[in-house]
Amino acid sequence: RPAPQMMELTDRQEIARGVYSVRLIPDGPMPRAVPGTFLDLLPGGLHVLRRPLSIADADEEGYTLIFRVVGRGTDELSRAPLGARMDVLGPLGHGFASDSVQSGQRALLVGGGVGIPPLYLLGRRLVERGVQVQFRLGFRSRNDIFWADEFSQLGEVLISTDDGSVGTRGTVAQIAETDAARRFVPDIVQACGPIPMLKWVKSALAPTVRTQLSLEERMACAVGACYACVIGDAGDPDHQFRVCYEGPVFEAEEVVL
Ligand code: FES
C-alpha cells in the first residue's frame, strides 16, 4: 500500500455548474504525475472514506484536480477552507502512454463530462513533445462547460452539448460527422468518459487506430485490494482487471465494456 502524504488546499474555484477545481500542494517531494493517474483524498471533517479524483494538471509544486459534486465527500471538498490539510494517496494507477506518440504525429483526445479533466495534462504533455492535438469534448449544456479556453491553448477544441446550446448538438459521436473532425486523421486516440461514450469510441475508432480508454469504474479501496472496480479481460474470460490498479487506462482491445 502506498504511503499517504499531507497536502494543503491552496485554491478552489467553481468552474462550471457543480464542478470544482482544487489546487493541492504536497508537504514533501511529489512524484511526477502520469496523465490519467489519480489521487485518493480524505476530504477531512467527519469523513472516513477516501475519494479518487483525477489529476487535471500538475507542475513542480502541486496538483490541480477537477471534480463534480456527487455526494457528501465531494460536497465537503467543494467547501473546504483554503489552507485545509488533507491526507492524500497517490498518484495511483496506470495512465496514458504519452511517450509512445512521436513529434509530428496527431493525437485525438475524446472526453465526456468529468472524464474530461485528465485530457488537459495529457494534452499539455503531448504538445510539449511536438504532437498535434485535437480535443472532442462532450458536455450536457452550456453551463456545464469548463476550461474551454485552457484546452484551446493546446489545440483545436470541438464541443458537443446534449441540448445543442454550444457546438454540435448530441454527443462526441455527432462531432465525428463534422468537417473539422473528418479533416483530423489521428495516429492515436485517447479517451476518458462514461462507458456509453467509451463503447462508441471503441467501436467507431479503435478498429482503425491505436486507442486507449480510461475507465471510470466505481472504486472503493483504489489500491487493488478489494476488487470493487473490476472489468472483463477481452483476452481471457476467466480473468478481470482491477480498474484502479491495472488501469484506469487500458488499450481498447484489452477490455470488455
Ligand atoms: Fe479496490 Fe479497485 S477499488 S481493487
Side-chain angles (χ1 to χ4, degrees):
R1 210 181 155 87
Q5 75 166 310
M6 296 304 290
M7 298 194 191
E8 183 177 335
L9 179 73
T10 61
D11 186 45
R12 185 198 53 224
Q13 296 179 38
E14 187 172 13
I15 55 174
R17 182 170 55 189
V19 178
Y20 291 80
S21 70
V22 291
R23 175 107 173 124
L24 293 176
I25 309 290
D27 282 358
M30 57 175 271
R32 182 172 159 90
V34 175
T37 59
F38 60 95
L39 297 182
D40 205 25
L41 270 75
L42 262 184
L46 295 173
H47 246 268
V48 292
L49 282 183
R50 290 182 178 275
R51 285 284 164 275
L53 299 177
S54 61
I55 297 171
D57 200 10
D59 54 32
E60 311 71 47
E61 280 198 325
Y63 305 97
T64 302
L65 312 179
I66 292 178
F67 61 95
R68 181 184 296 286
V69 172
V70 291
R72 257 179 51 202
T74 45
D75 181 54
E76 254 170 55
L77 185 59
S78 75
R79 292 184 286 107
L82 297 188
R85 295 170 56 72
M86 293 176 200
D87 181 300
V88 182
L89 278 176
L92 299 173
H94 292 87
F96 288 105
S98 54
D99 294 356
S100 60
V101 200
Q102 307 304 315
S103 175
Q105 289 192 310
R106 295 170 145 205
L108 172 58
L109 309 191
V110 184
V114 286
I116 289 170
L119 300 185
Y120 181 79
L121 178 60
L122 176 61
R124 208 159 65 69
R125 294 272 171 83
L126 290 169
V127 168
E128 282 166 11
R129 294 172 49 81
V131 175
Q132 193 188 338
V133 171
Q134 183 185 76
F135 297 97
R136 299 184 195 166
L137 309 178
F139 297 94
R140 280 181 301 186
S141 181
R142 174 183 298 277
N143 294 334
D144 301 300
I145 296 174
F146 56 86
W147 279 26
D149 290 345
E150 284 83 349
F151 280 105
S152 56
Q153 280 162 23
L154 300 176
E156 186 176 21
V157 180
L158 307 179
I159 288 178
S160 67
T161 48
D162 295 348
D163 62 3
S165 51
V166 176
T168 304
R169 177 189 295 270
T171 67
V172 293
Q174 276 72 52
I175 296 180
E177 292 156 19
T178 64
D179 288 344
R182 286 184 201 281
R183 277 196 300 272
F184 192 88
V185 180
D187 298 290
I188 191 169
V189 175
Q190 295 172 303
C192 186
I195 292 288
M197 188 201 90
L198 297 179
K199 278 188 175 168
W200 174 81
V201 170
K202 181 171 177 174
S203 65
L205 304 173
T208 54
V209 56
R210 182 182 176 191
T211 299
Q212 296 188 314
L213 307 176
S214 181
L215 309 187
E216 295 177 351
E217 215 48 45
R218 188 169 291 277
M219 290 179 192
C221 75
V223 291
C226 75
Y227 288 78
C229 62
V230 293
I231 186 125
D233 177 349
D236 178 358
D238 296 326
H239 179 253
Q240 293 179 311
F241 295 113
R242 291 160 291 181
V243 170
C244 71
Y245 192 71
E246 281 91 16
V249 178
F250 296 92
E251 299 296 324
E253 69 272 11
E254 281 182 320
V255 286
V256 181
L257 296 181

